[in-house]
Amino acid sequence: MTTLTLIPALLLIPLVFAILSLLVTRPWRNAFALLGIALQAVAALSLSWVIFTEGASSTALGNWAVPLGILLVADGLTVTLLTLTAFIAVICALYAFFYLRAYPREERYFWPLFWFLLAALNGIWLADDLFNLYVGLELLGLAAVGMVALQATQQSLAAALRYLLAALFGSLMYLLGVALLYGSYGTLAMGQLSDLMVGDLTTQIALLLMTLGLLIKTACFPFHYWLPPAHGGALAPVSALLSALVVKSSFYILARIWLDLGTLAVPIGLPEVLGLLGTCAILYGAWRAYTASEIKMLVAWSTVAQLGYLLLLFPLALNTTEAAAHLAWQGTLMHLLAHGFAKGAMFLAVGTLVLAARSTQLSDLAGISRKLPMALFAYGLAAVSLMGLPPSGGFSAKWLLIQSALHSGQWVWIIVISVGSLLSAAYLFRVFSVSFVEGKQRELQPTHPMLDVTALTLALIAIALGFFGMIPLSLMELGTPLPESPLPTGGQP
Amino acid sequence: MTTELFTTELFATELFTTELWFALIGALIIGISTIGFFGATHILKRIMAFNLMGSGVFLIMVGLAQHDRGVDPVPQALVLTGIVVAVSATALALIIFRRYIASGGQSKLPEHRS
Amino acid sequence: MNLSFWMPVAVLATSLVTAMIIFLLPERRHTLRGTLNLIAAIVKIGLVAFMIFGVMQQQSFETRFALLPGIDFVLRADAMSMLFAGLSSVLWLFTTIYAIGYLEHAPNRSRFFGFFSLCVASTMGIALAGNLFTFLIFFEMLTLSTYPLVVHRGTKASLQAGRTYLRYTLVGGAVLLVGIALLHSMVGSLDFAETGTLRDVPSEQHGLLIIIFILLITGLGVKAALVPLHGWLPIAMVAPAPVSALLHAVAVVKAGAFGIVRVVYNVYGIEFSAQLGVLIPLAAVAAVTILWGSFQALRQSGLKRRLAYSTVSQVSYIVLGSALFGPLGTIGGLVHLLHQGIMKVTLFFCAGNYAETLGIHKIKELDGAGQRMPLTSIAFTIGALGMIGLPPTAGFISKWYLGLGALDSGLVWVLGVLILSSLLNAAYFLPILYRLWFKPVTSAWPDEQIKAARFETDPWLLFPTVATAVFTIGTGILAASPLSPLSWASLIAIREYLP
């Protein structure tokens, strides 16, 4: 197996299984899904292994050369994200097998959409030109909207429409920026653009349009309005996939266009404005999560808050020292991974709680710790990471971001990060407060133990990242075009 | 090639190239449709505004394909793909909208209902 | 990867693995859970004893791997860590025995003992942490694992207490994190070392070092209940008695105090701290806390609340000891780390016994309890006398060395604080002793539980109480023996000063 077959396989497997899942009937659907998931996970992990041992690699689809053909690139960063996707997809799929038994109608459409979502995600991670990223984004958006609309209730359809309109507008803004860049440079390949790009006005306008579009798609404050109803109203495995992966992909593109392509075109004040938006997201998201009365909305608003940390990458990495930029990039990647695992785990665990209690109201979960200790434990471990408490991936991310801020002397972001994690503790602990209440208890429906096992697995990975953070951090260094490490240790000044 | 556009030679000979016309009209359409997209509350109108906006973007892209060396195939390919994507997005939007009406929703999203 | 690498891991694992198994055990497997808990506690004592023995032979035990670029996860056994690890492992055994008896018919025992073990695992991690980063990991883990214990009863008051507890400790943790991050960006990640590690920092950065010192002490001071950061402690008293005992004697409060000791001796170094001029302010904060805690204790009518404020006061003796420059002060502080734990655990066990057996929560209800529960009352008396500092109890040794240390370092006012505080201790403990032994029983006990028992109360409750009381006397009388806390503390103290 070489990268030449593995890279296209990561796109083909999901697409083939998407079509298969539409064709086959019910008893076969799960078997096929299981097979596809296994194949896709094996492909992602073997690619990671190959890249880890042999270094970055690329492949041109159908052997067409760059301007017309499609070049797929797998470097350390790509495979890190591919592995994240594979892990979360496997766990969410396993969860969905058992969870969707309660939703036979939705189950039919879930699988094709799941596969399209996966294909789009893999496509985005592997893409190396701006237009393929656009196609990936659109496919991703459509699949995600379809998943939000699965239940076909009035509420979920409204959420889906709101999401769709926001996503479409965002895509067009992105596409407009792509058009302007092509007009200026005559290429859309990332590798060429990063050499050619200068800081003229057209470039800046193009990049700002793309930024606007991507901020909307990432649900960054103040464009977050579509996210909570969409993520909070969807089925549990859908929410997990959306929060853990989908919003990250548009952020990934945003990070690449500024840190990889547009370093010379950064308008004055832009990093600070993005940092400020991130701060607002952290504060406002936390406030709304703190006042939410439904548990799924609490978790969805927490996503809004956590996405704010990602935006801190820009003030920390643009126009600062090399060491600070490197640390910021490491911290952001760590946060992206940790949040992916932790939020995925949290949505799955909360989905189990809601399924058992037949209510989304937080107050209806009183005393649930006695009945569903494992789901609550998974929630707890995920919460530890989201709060940025050690030992967890979330803590490592917080530490790296704080170190980066110290290196560039930007004290204000340290305060934002610290206050943000205290606020997240404030809203996440609301669930514990309720769950420990003794006294009147609701009648609970029995749930399948696999629901707990899957959620717990993701949560444990989020915690384990705190101990094995060196693995993704050293993996992402391989062949990445982003800020390079000036120091092998990163710590010493 | 906007950078070449403003070189003195071109500027002197012909101020408004075809390319610039395309870009200006495209920008105008995008502007109008953006107002429509955010001004309108009826979901159907917003979907139409999105389509119009798409046309504006495609116009700009097609405009870029016209230059002296003949037609550049890349933007043509991009626009074709873009149209396919926009059509499927519109189809999805319309289907969800129909379902939304069928499930008892109105022609506007809840937050736009006064 | 050898014995030296795996020993610290094994010490942690004895309670970590136990916690995991307990979480998975069904609620009704009470006997199995109890047995498992006791076996784990005994195995842990064995492992710690082995390591103490090894450290005495100059053997080293170290677990180390890279956690992040430039940061190692370090667990290491040195003389200081063994002091705290020894205390925690011994008191864990007694508290576990006590908790098994105390929660005999209570619900949610699986959850309780799971987090109880997790809490001890965090404490052991704090004891063995070899650098500030590792320390922080376990320090925060301790916060998280004690929260479910504080809110265990699930009542409105306990949930409120849990919120207050979190508010204080999480903010403290955040301040500590900023301090550690700052220090790391200045000098990198440094292991704890005898006589400190920061001596060679150029003098223009000393101002920043003082700020970092303040941040670190503030962050640690929340858990160590330094005034004015002590507000959570009396409120957290709603927790079940074994939890209070654990919180006050071994885990939370002691973790904070131990952290301060680590920062002063093994990060900054006592000589360098003195040079920076941070010791006198630290001594002042400790002195204020000692007096304030004692005054507040005097005003409380509830037995547990009085003990809580007494903890606020007593833990600061440890801080005071580390703020006194000179080996004698160091010995006093370190030895009190152990002595306070043993004495306070005794007192909380007694308070729990009174509450469980007779339903006594207020001090005024204690009249004549000495006749009804003689062994518990004798234990309480020993603990109280120890707190006052009368010979031959453990408390006397601590105060004696602290007093000598105060004179040694030339801070005569500290001696005054010690004397005043001892008088206050006497003022709030002696009336209780008077009520216990000399007042007649006025009315029926508020809520008598065990009527026709062979002992005055459940033997599971009585045995640990008596045992720790015996320890309180024993460590005082046998202070000169080579294995006593005093000898161990003296060993450390000599090493902390530059030759």
Side-chain angles (χ1 to χ4, degrees), chain A residues 388-420:
Chain A
L389 290 180
S392 70
F395 174 73
S396 301
K398 192 167 94 172
W399 173 267
L400 290 166
L401 288 175
I402 287 180
Q403 284 302 323
S404 164
L406 283 172
H407 266 279
S408 53
Q410 302 185 74
W411 270 87
V412 59
W413 306 123
I414 298 176
I415 298 168
V416 169
I417 293 165
S418 305
V419 170

mmCIF file of all heavy atoms in Angstrom, chain A residues 388-420:
data_model
loop_
_atom_site.group_PDB
_atom_site.id
_atom_site.type_symbol
_atom_site.label_atom_id
_atom_site.label_comp_id
_atom_site.label_asym_id
_atom_site.label_seq_id
_atom_site.Cartn_x
_atom_site.Cartn_y
_atom_site.Cartn_z
ATOM 1 N N GLY A 388 -10.354 22.870 30.273
ATOM 2 C CA GLY A 388 -8.919 23.098 30.234
ATOM 3 C C GLY A 388 -8.241 22.747 31.545
ATOM 4 O O GLY A 388 -7.254 23.365 31.923
ATOM 5 N N LEU A 389 -8.777 21.735 32.241
ATOM 6 C CA LEU A 389 -8.128 21.317 33.479
ATOM 7 C C LEU A 389 -7.240 20.111 33.189
ATOM 8 O O LEU A 389 -7.560 19.294 32.343
ATOM 9 C CB LEU A 389 -9.183 20.947 34.521
ATOM 10 C CG LEU A 389 -9.967 22.123 35.072
ATOM 11 C CD1 LEU A 389 -10.975 21.652 36.096
ATOM 12 C CD2 LEU A 389 -9.036 23.140 35.709
ATOM 13 N N PRO A 390 -6.112 20.027 33.871
ATOM 14 C CA PRO A 390 -5.220 18.894 33.613
ATOM 15 C C PRO A 390 -5.725 17.635 34.286
ATOM 16 O O PRO A 390 -6.446 17.732 35.272
ATOM 17 C CB PRO A 390 -3.907 19.348 34.260
ATOM 18 C CG PRO A 390 -4.340 20.248 35.364
ATOM 19 C CD PRO A 390 -5.602 20.910 34.901
ATOM 20 N N PRO A 391 -5.345 16.462 33.856
ATOM 21 C CA PRO A 391 -4.594 16.216 32.626
ATOM 22 C C PRO A 391 -5.556 16.006 31.470
ATOM 23 O O PRO A 391 -6.403 15.133 31.547
ATOM 24 C CB PRO A 391 -3.881 14.906 32.955
ATOM 25 C CG PRO A 391 -4.803 14.204 33.906
ATOM 26 C CD PRO A 391 -5.613 15.237 34.619
ATOM 27 N N SER A 392 -5.443 16.770 30.432
ATOM 28 C CA SER A 392 -6.324 16.604 29.283
ATOM 29 C C SER A 392 -5.740 17.350 28.095
ATOM 30 O O SER A 392 -4.872 18.204 28.245
ATOM 31 C CB SER A 392 -7.711 17.154 29.587
ATOM 32 O OG SER A 392 -7.653 18.553 29.669
ATOM 33 N N GLY A 393 -6.240 17.009 26.918
ATOM 34 C CA GLY A 393 -5.818 17.721 25.728
ATOM 35 C C GLY A 393 -6.172 19.192 25.802
ATOM 36 O O GLY A 393 -5.415 20.050 25.357
ATOM 37 N N GLY A 394 -7.324 19.476 26.397
ATOM 38 C CA GLY A 394 -7.744 20.867 26.537
ATOM 39 C C GLY A 394 -6.759 21.665 27.362
ATOM 40 O O GLY A 394 -6.463 22.824 27.057
ATOM 41 N N PHE A 395 -6.219 21.026 28.401
ATOM 42 C CA PHE A 395 -5.238 21.724 29.238
ATOM 43 C C PHE A 395 -3.942 21.972 28.468
ATOM 44 O O PHE A 395 -3.379 23.070 28.527
ATOM 45 C CB PHE A 395 -4.960 20.922 30.499
ATOM 46 C CG PHE A 395 -3.854 21.511 31.329
ATOM 47 C CD1 PHE A 395 -4.068 22.670 32.050
ATOM 48 C CD2 PHE A 395 -2.607 20.917 31.362
ATOM 49 C CE1 PHE A 395 -3.052 23.230 32.794
ATOM 50 C CE2 PHE A 395 -1.590 21.475 32.106
ATOM 51 C CZ PHE A 395 -1.813 22.622 32.821
ATOM 52 N N SER A 396 -3.486 20.952 27.747
ATOM 53 C CA SER A 396 -2.254 21.134 26.975
ATOM 54 C C SER A 396 -2.415 22.281 25.994
ATOM 55 O O SER A 396 -1.510 23.094 25.814
ATOM 56 C CB SER A 396 -1.922 19.850 26.222
ATOM 57 O OG SER A 396 -1.763 18.792 27.122
ATOM 58 N N ALA A 397 -3.590 22.346 25.353
ATOM 59 C CA ALA A 397 -3.854 23.425 24.405
ATOM 60 C C ALA A 397 -3.781 24.776 25.107
ATOM 61 O O ALA A 397 -3.135 25.715 24.637
ATOM 62 C CB ALA A 397 -5.233 23.233 23.786
ATOM 63 N N LYS A 398 -4.423 24.853 26.270
ATOM 64 C CA LYS A 398 -4.440 26.103 27.016
ATOM 65 C C LYS A 398 -3.023 26.510 27.398
ATOM 66 O O LYS A 398 -2.637 27.675 27.271
ATOM 67 C CB LYS A 398 -5.304 25.895 28.269
ATOM 68 C CG LYS A 398 -5.649 27.146 28.997
ATOM 69 C CD LYS A 398 -6.759 26.865 30.004
ATOM 70 C CE LYS A 398 -6.197 26.557 31.356
ATOM 71 N NZ LYS A 398 -7.217 26.456 32.403
ATOM 72 N N TRP A 399 -2.258 25.525 27.824
ATOM 73 C CA TRP A 399 -0.878 25.791 28.232
ATOM 74 C C TRP A 399 -0.069 26.348 27.064
ATOM 75 O O TRP A 399 0.644 27.349 27.199
ATOM 76 C CB TRP A 399 -0.251 24.505 28.776
ATOM 77 C CG TRP A 399 1.213 24.623 29.062
ATOM 78 C CD1 TRP A 399 2.237 24.322 28.223
ATOM 79 C CD2 TRP A 399 1.803 25.100 30.270
ATOM 80 N NE1 TRP A 399 3.423 24.575 28.840
ATOM 81 C CE2 TRP A 399 3.197 25.051 30.094
ATOM 82 C CE3 TRP A 399 1.282 25.549 31.490
ATOM 83 C CZ2 TRP A 399 4.085 25.440 31.086
ATOM 84 C CZ3 TRP A 399 2.161 25.938 32.481
ATOM 85 C CH2 TRP A 399 3.548 25.889 32.262
ATOM 86 N N LEU A 400 -0.181 25.692 25.896
ATOM 87 C CA LEU A 400 0.584 26.137 24.732
ATOM 88 C C LEU A 400 0.158 27.537 24.307
ATOM 89 O O LEU A 400 0.997 28.378 23.959
ATOM 90 C CB LEU A 400 0.390 25.154 23.578
ATOM 91 C CG LEU A 400 1.051 23.783 23.771
ATOM 92 C CD1 LEU A 400 0.538 22.782 22.763
ATOM 93 C CD2 LEU A 400 2.562 23.911 23.661
ATOM 94 N N LEU A 401 -1.145 27.802 24.342
ATOM 95 C CA LEU A 401 -1.620 29.129 23.946
ATOM 96 C C LEU A 401 -1.103 30.186 24.924
ATOM 97 O O LEU A 401 -0.676 31.275 24.525
ATOM 98 C CB LEU A 401 -3.149 29.161 23.882
ATOM 99 C CG LEU A 401 -3.779 28.393 22.708
ATOM 100 C CD1 LEU A 401 -5.291 28.392 22.812
ATOM 101 C CD2 LEU A 401 -3.347 28.995 21.383
ATOM 102 N N ILE A 402 -1.120 29.852 26.213
ATOM 103 C CA ILE A 402 -0.631 30.820 27.207
ATOM 104 C C ILE A 402 0.863 31.055 27.005
ATOM 105 O O ILE A 402 1.340 32.196 27.059
ATOM 106 C CB ILE A 402 -0.938 30.317 28.641
ATOM 107 C CG1 ILE A 402 -2.422 30.442 28.927
ATOM 108 C CG2 ILE A 402 -0.135 31.085 29.672
ATOM 109 C CD1 ILE A 402 -2.833 29.977 30.288
ATOM 110 N N GLN A 403 1.603 29.971 26.738
ATOM 111 C CA GLN A 403 3.035 30.138 26.491
ATOM 112 C C GLN A 403 3.286 31.024 25.283
ATOM 113 O O GLN A 403 4.179 31.875 25.280
ATOM 114 C CB GLN A 403 3.700 28.771 26.267
ATOM 115 C CG GLN A 403 3.915 27.970 27.537
ATOM 116 C CD GLN A 403 4.760 28.711 28.546
ATOM 117 O OE1 GLN A 403 5.700 29.408 28.200
ATOM 118 N NE2 GLN A 403 4.413 28.594 29.815
ATOM 119 N N SER A 404 2.462 30.818 24.243
ATOM 120 C CA SER A 404 2.610 31.643 23.041
ATOM 121 C C SER A 404 2.349 33.107 23.374
ATOM 122 O O SER A 404 3.101 34.000 22.955
ATOM 123 C CB SER A 404 1.635 31.156 21.976
ATOM 124 O OG SER A 404 1.498 32.119 20.978
ATOM 125 N N ALA A 405 1.285 33.367 24.138
ATOM 126 C CA ALA A 405 0.960 34.746 24.495
ATOM 127 C C ALA A 405 2.090 35.359 25.323
ATOM 128 O O ALA A 405 2.438 36.534 25.155
ATOM 129 C CB ALA A 405 -0.351 34.782 25.270
ATOM 130 N N LEU A 406 2.701 34.556 26.190
ATOM 131 C CA LEU A 406 3.811 35.072 27.000
ATOM 132 C C LEU A 406 5.007 35.405 26.117
ATOM 133 O O LEU A 406 5.677 36.411 26.320
ATOM 134 C CB LEU A 406 4.224 34.034 28.049
ATOM 135 C CG LEU A 406 3.315 33.927 29.263
ATOM 136 C CD1 LEU A 406 3.707 32.747 30.115
ATOM 137 C CD2 LEU A 406 3.386 35.208 30.072
ATOM 138 N N HIS A 407 5.236 34.554 25.115
ATOM 139 C CA HIS A 407 6.376 34.780 24.234
ATOM 140 C C HIS A 407 6.240 36.074 23.454
ATOM 141 O O HIS A 407 7.222 36.748 23.180
ATOM 142 C CB HIS A 407 6.528 33.605 23.257
ATOM 143 C CG HIS A 407 7.481 32.574 23.748
ATOM 144 N ND1 HIS A 407 8.830 32.709 23.628
ATOM 145 C CD2 HIS A 407 7.272 31.405 24.371
ATOM 146 C CE1 HIS A 407 9.418 31.666 24.158
ATOM 147 N NE2 HIS A 407 8.499 30.860 24.619
ATOM 148 N N SER A 408 5.000 36.380 23.045
ATOM 149 C CA SER A 408 4.832 37.611 22.275
ATOM 150 C C SER A 408 4.391 38.764 23.173
ATOM 151 O O SER A 408 4.054 39.832 22.682
ATOM 152 C CB SER A 408 3.829 37.385 21.149
ATOM 153 O OG SER A 408 2.629 36.863 21.664
ATOM 154 N N GLY A 409 4.379 38.515 24.486
ATOM 155 C CA GLY A 409 4.072 39.589 25.424
ATOM 156 C C GLY A 409 2.648 40.117 25.346
ATOM 157 O O GLY A 409 2.380 41.252 25.694
ATOM 158 N N GLN A 410 1.713 39.289 24.872
ATOM 159 C CA GLN A 410 0.328 39.758 24.758
ATOM 160 C C GLN A 410 -0.485 39.258 25.943
ATOM 161 O O GLN A 410 -1.169 38.244 25.873
ATOM 162 C CB GLN A 410 -0.286 39.273 23.445
ATOM 163 C CG GLN A 410 0.492 39.730 22.228
ATOM 164 C CD GLN A 410 -0.208 39.351 20.945
ATOM 165 O OE1 GLN A 410 -1.205 39.934 20.567
ATOM 166 N NE2 GLN A 410 0.308 38.352 20.275
ATOM 167 N N TRP A 411 -0.394 40.001 27.014
ATOM 168 C CA TRP A 411 -0.999 39.584 28.274
ATOM 169 C C TRP A 411 -2.492 39.412 28.202
ATOM 170 O O TRP A 411 -3.077 38.568 28.874
ATOM 171 C CB TRP A 411 -0.680 40.631 29.345
ATOM 172 C CG TRP A 411 0.574 40.297 30.021
ATOM 173 C CD1 TRP A 411 1.834 40.655 29.633
ATOM 174 C CD2 TRP A 411 0.711 39.486 31.170
ATOM 175 N NE1 TRP A 411 2.736 40.120 30.482
ATOM 176 C CE2 TRP A 411 2.085 39.402 31.447
ATOM 177 C CE3 TRP A 411 -0.197 38.833 31.996
ATOM 178 C CZ2 TRP A 411 2.567 38.683 32.511
ATOM 179 C CZ3 TRP A 411 0.285 38.116 33.059
ATOM 180 C CH2 TRP A 411 1.660 38.044 33.310
ATOM 181 N N VAL A 412 -3.119 40.256 27.364
ATOM 182 C CA VAL A 412 -4.575 40.282 27.384
ATOM 183 C C VAL A 412 -5.159 38.920 27.020
ATOM 184 O O VAL A 412 -6.156 38.481 27.582
ATOM 185 C CB VAL A 412 -5.113 41.400 26.469
ATOM 186 C CG1 VAL A 412 -4.667 41.220 25.044
ATOM 187 C CG2 VAL A 412 -6.617 41.466 26.523
ATOM 188 N N TRP A 413 -4.468 38.182 26.114
ATOM 189 C CA TRP A 413 -5.029 36.879 25.713
ATOM 190 C C TRP A 413 -4.893 35.858 26.824
ATOM 191 O O TRP A 413 -5.667 34.909 26.897
ATOM 192 C CB TRP A 413 -4.370 36.392 24.422
ATOM 193 C CG TRP A 413 -4.447 37.391 23.321
ATOM 194 C CD1 TRP A 413 -3.398 37.928 22.630
ATOM 195 C CD2 TRP A 413 -5.618 38.028 22.794
ATOM 196 N NE1 TRP A 413 -3.845 38.839 21.715
ATOM 197 C CE2 TRP A 413 -5.209 38.928 21.793
ATOM 198 C CE3 TRP A 413 -6.975 37.935 23.080
ATOM 199 C CZ2 TRP A 413 -6.100 39.715 21.071
ATOM 200 C CZ3 TRP A 413 -7.864 38.714 22.356
ATOM 201 C CH2 TRP A 413 -7.427 39.593 21.369
ATOM 202 N N ILE A 414 -3.887 36.034 27.692
ATOM 203 C CA ILE A 414 -3.770 35.114 28.838
ATOM 204 C C ILE A 414 -4.990 35.259 29.735
ATOM 205 O O ILE A 414 -5.582 34.280 30.195
ATOM 206 C CB ILE A 414 -2.493 35.418 29.630
ATOM 207 C CG1 ILE A 414 -1.279 35.202 28.734
ATOM 208 C CG2 ILE A 414 -2.403 34.543 30.871
ATOM 209 C CD1 ILE A 414 0.014 35.559 29.389
ATOM 210 N N ILE A 415 -5.371 36.520 29.943
ATOM 211 C CA ILE A 415 -6.548 36.751 30.776
ATOM 212 C C ILE A 415 -7.780 36.144 30.111
ATOM 213 O O ILE A 415 -8.585 35.468 30.760
ATOM 214 C CB ILE A 415 -6.728 38.265 31.015
ATOM 215 C CG1 ILE A 415 -5.505 38.800 31.762
ATOM 216 C CG2 ILE A 415 -8.001 38.556 31.769
ATOM 217 C CD1 ILE A 415 -5.432 40.301 31.809
ATOM 218 N N VAL A 416 -7.908 36.359 28.796
ATOM 219 C CA VAL A 416 -9.069 35.811 28.087
ATOM 220 C C VAL A 416 -9.118 34.291 28.237
ATOM 221 O O VAL A 416 -10.161 33.712 28.551
ATOM 222 C CB VAL A 416 -9.003 36.194 26.594
ATOM 223 C CG1 VAL A 416 -10.038 35.422 25.790
ATOM 224 C CG2 VAL A 416 -9.211 37.681 26.424
ATOM 225 N N ILE A 417 -7.969 33.655 28.038
ATOM 226 C CA ILE A 417 -7.937 32.190 28.093
ATOM 227 C C ILE A 417 -8.291 31.704 29.496
ATOM 228 O O ILE A 417 -9.106 30.798 29.668
ATOM 229 C CB ILE A 417 -6.549 31.669 27.671
ATOM 230 C CG1 ILE A 417 -6.309 31.964 26.195
ATOM 231 C CG2 ILE A 417 -6.430 30.188 27.937
ATOM 232 C CD1 ILE A 417 -4.874 31.817 25.755
ATOM 233 N N SER A 418 -7.703 32.356 30.518
ATOM 234 C CA SER A 418 -7.961 31.904 31.888
ATOM 235 C C SER A 418 -9.419 32.130 32.276
ATOM 236 O O SER A 418 -10.074 31.235 32.805
ATOM 237 C CB SER A 418 -7.066 32.644 32.875
ATOM 238 O OG SER A 418 -5.729 32.495 32.501
ATOM 239 N N VAL A 419 -9.914 33.328 31.990
ATOM 240 C CA VAL A 419 -11.307 33.614 32.340
ATOM 241 C C VAL A 419 -12.235 32.688 31.565
ATOM 242 O O VAL A 419 -13.204 32.159 32.114
ATOM 243 C CB VAL A 419 -11.634 35.092 32.048
ATOM 244 C CG1 VAL A 419 -13.119 35.355 32.173
ATOM 245 C CG2 VAL A 419 -10.869 35.988 33.002
ATOM 246 N N GLY A 420 -11.913 32.472 30.289
ATOM 247 C CA GLY A 420 -12.747 31.594 29.474
ATOM 248 C C GLY A 420 -12.865 30.206 30.071
ATOM 249 O O GLY A 420 -13.953 29.635 30.111
#
